[in-house]
Amino acid sequence: MKPIYMDHAATTAVSEGALQEMLPYFSEEYGNPSAVYSYGQTGKNIVEKCRERVAKCIGAFKTEIYFTSCGTESDNWAIRSACRLRKDKGKHIISSEIEHNAVRRTLEQLEEDGYEVTYLKPNKDGQISVEQLEEAIREDTILITIMLANNVVGTVLNIKELAAAARKRRILFHTDAVQAVGHIPVNVHQLGVDLLSISGHKFNGPKGSGVLYCRIPLRLPAYLTGGGQEKEGRSGTENVPGIVGLTHALEENTKNLEENAKYLNEQADRMTKSILELPGVTQTGDKDSRLPGFCSFVVDGIQHSVLLVNEMNSRGVCISSGSACSASSQEASHVLLALGYDKQLAGCSVRVTLGMDNSPEDVDYATQMLKVSIEKIRSEQVSRAPRLEGRVTDIASENK
Ligand code: PLP
């Protein structure tokens, strides 16, 4: 039996429509868009058409869309180039404690280069207040980067209000919208952000495709230098099939946002309600402002979520312990720690992210299996308690 895939926040399958539109650009219309002959011009034309189509989906102008290779690249480009652009104004950046590693690691590297970063602590739901942000702003603040939706607990943050506070002080605002675009309505001008990152494979587009939105008239310094593609900003021959696939998938998802969200939320609510019947299970993230189909919990009495993920895998259901990048890590999630959970609970976070390919029967089966798995692991741990106790103490003392 094919496993049931319930880790759509990690990645998604390329949609049939996106695949069909991509196919000719691999082996028939394969010209380099920079070339002047007809093959090249076909490539150039489709890339420009896609720029327009993507812009329409997020309420942007065509000239504000830059194609990249992934969400990580978009985050890196936005943050590093914003710093270069504002280098005469200061070296202070504001972010949050719950960002994806694509932002965290970039900021850490900038700190090594002499930048100072203030990481705002969210409340238990994963929200950051305007007052907190305003308090952190300094004369030398050049950039604020706070995500639109969190990849571990599914909270959708109040970016519109936060970006408005930044704009009042003329500070650049970037948001990592990798988990949000294609799943909730995103209109860049309504949000009021200067920079926004998108990744194609999170909404049924292909891996290796991304977008950076950059508000005009802002012009970011080049991130990749070379042949001058993407208006000199991001050199490198365009990934034409990837751009086509991302565009098709984004259009498809944008058209069906409301209908998809209704279905996914119904399924997620049923699963969440049932899982919360178990003692010692707590829902994480914001209950009222969350991504559609996003179920996230911390489970007490289990040593690490990897045990649960493995147990579910053996029962034919693919779920996650948090972000895909740290799925195999035994460390507690930095997001859960930031939300105030203790080390034990933060180490046992579970993320089930549903997609339109999950039937109600799949959801019911997975819910049942999750409950059985939690109870099984808990009872095994109790029967092995003396050995585990020793290990827990060892781990605890190592971490001091
Ligand atoms: N930002 C967030 C919030 C993510 O969830 C991810 C991927 O999981 C990324 C950035 C990185 O995107 P990509 O895999 O396209 O590099």
Side-chain angles (χ1 to χ4, degrees):
M1 205 178 73
K2 216 173 138 197
I4 300 174
Y5 184 77
M6 292 193 167
D7 195 16
H8 294 80
T11 196
T12 54
V14 174
S15 79
E16 186 53 33
L19 180 63
Q20 289 308 322
E21 198 183 336
M22 287 170 76
L23 281 176
Y25 296 97
F26 284 106
S27 54
E28 290 166 37
E29 300 292 353
Y30 51 82
N32 186 326
S34 299
V36 290
Y37 43 76
S38 59
Y39 271 121
Q41 289 311 297
T42 306
K44 185 177 160 63
N45 289 343
I46 186 71
V47 168
E48 291 316 310
K49 196 84 201 121
C50 285
R51 210 183 297 285
E52 208 173 312
R53 289 163 64 188
V54 167
K56 211 165 156 202
C57 290
I58 59 167
F61 297 115
K62 181 186 166 188
T63 47
E64 297 177 315
I65 302 298
Y66 295 82
F67 291 112
T68 66
S69 71
C70 58
T72 301
E73 185 189 321
S74 301
D75 285 341
N76 270 264
W77 184 5
I79 294 169
R80 292 180 195 280
S81 296
C83 289
R84 278 190 62 208
L85 192 68
R86 292 286 189 263
K87 66 178 185 304
D88 298 332
K89 298 215 160 137
K91 281 197 145 190
H92 180 239
I93 304 168
I94 300 174
S95 187
S96 83
E97 287 186 8
I98 57 168
E99 299 298 312
H100 186 272
N101 279 347
V103 168
R104 283 174 84 209
R105 299 282 178 248
T106 306
L107 294 175
E108 281 168 17
Q109 215 177 55
L110 286 167
E111 284 178 289
E112 285 169 19
D113 292 342
Y115 285 85
E116 217 184 308
V117 184
T118 300
Y119 296 93
L120 300 177
K121 190 171 183 58
N123 68 12
K124 194 111 186 168
D125 290 340
Q127 296 289 357
I128 285 165
S129 70
V130 173
E131 294 71 37
Q132 260 179 298
L133 179 64
E134 280 174 340
E135 248 173 60
I137 291 177
R138 309 190 322 206
E139 278 307 308
D140 60 342
T141 306
I142 51 166
L143 173 69
I144 298 168
T145 172
I146 299 177
M147 68 199 327
L148 178 48
N150 182 266
N151 52 303
V152 177
V153 296
T155 297
V156 177
L157 285 86
N158 55 336
I159 292 304
K160 190 175 170 185
E161 288 76 21
L162 298 174
R167 182 154 289 194
K168 264 198 272 170
R169 302 286 296 266
R170 294 175 179 273
I171 300 165
L172 290 179
F173 196 102
H174 165 249
T175 191
D176 175 341
V178 164
Q179 290 290 342
V181 169
H183 301 284
I184 57 170
V186 173
N187 179 302
V188 284
H189 292 146
Q190 278 173 14
L191 274 182
V193 296
D194 299 297
L195 298 153
L196 178 142
S197 304
I198 297 176
S199 171
H201 74 102
K202 304 290 186 183
F203 50 78
N204 305 100
K207 294 169 186 59
S209 66
V211 166
L212 177 62
Y213 158 81
C214 178
R215 181 181 59 78
I216 46 170
L218 198 63
R219 255 324 259 281
L220 285 184
Y223 181 57
L224 293 180
T225 47
Q229 288 90 344
E230 296 299 298
K231 287 180 267 151
E232 302 282 341
R234 196 263 177 198
S235 290
T237 301
E238 296 87 341
N239 170 10
V240 180
I243 290 170
V244 169
L246 174 147
T247 303
H248 189 106
L250 182 57
E251 277 180 338
E252 251 174 20
N253 274 28
T254 307
K255 253 186 253 151
N256 300 318
L257 279 180
E258 216 175 299
E259 203 182 311
N260 290 357
K262 184 171 178 290
Y263 174 76
L264 293 171
N265 282 332
E266 275 167 18
Q267 304 308 315
D269 287 350
R270 201 169 71 257
M271 174 180 266
T272 301
K273 193 162 167 250
S274 179
I275 299 295
L276 291 179
E277 285 166 4
L278 288 180
V281 179
T282 311
Q283 186 181 12
T284 55
D286 195 325
K287 286 167 198 61
D288 302 316
S289 177
R290 60 193 293 119
L291 290 167
F294 206 108
C295 308
S296 57
F297 314 97
V298 284
V299 183
D300 200 6
I302 288 187
Q303 227 182 18
H304 198 278
S305 40
V306 170
L307 297 172
L308 203 45
V309 173
N310 287 340
E311 182 65 30
M312 287 294 279
N313 187 41
S314 72
R315 293 168 186 270
V317 188
C318 306
I319 62 162
S320 162
S321 59
S323 75
C325 308
S326 59
S328 57
S329 157
Q330 298 276 334
E331 275 173 36
S333 153
H334 73 276
V335 174
L336 273 302
L337 290 173
L339 300 190
Y341 292 94
D342 65 28
K343 258 201 184 130
Q344 191 274 323
L345 282 178
C348 199
S349 82
V350 181
R351 181 184 78 177
V352 185
T353 45
L354 307 175
M356 294 306 291
D357 50 338
N358 295 137
S359 67
E361 293 74 31
D362 290 343
V363 175
D364 289 340
Y365 175 76
T367 305
Q368 197 51 32
M369 288 307 106
L370 197 48
K371 290 172 106 167
V372 170
S373 300
I374 290 171
E375 278 168 349
K376 177 173 176 250
I377 297 170
R378 277 177 174 166
S379 68
E380 281 172 1
Q381 288 190 178
V382 168
S383 64
R384 282 191 285 138
R387 230 176 59 214
L388 282 175
E389 253 170 37
R391 278 199 58 203
V392 172
T393 319
D394 288 345
I395 293 165
S397 52
E398 266 168 30
N399 286 337
K400 270 182 191 154

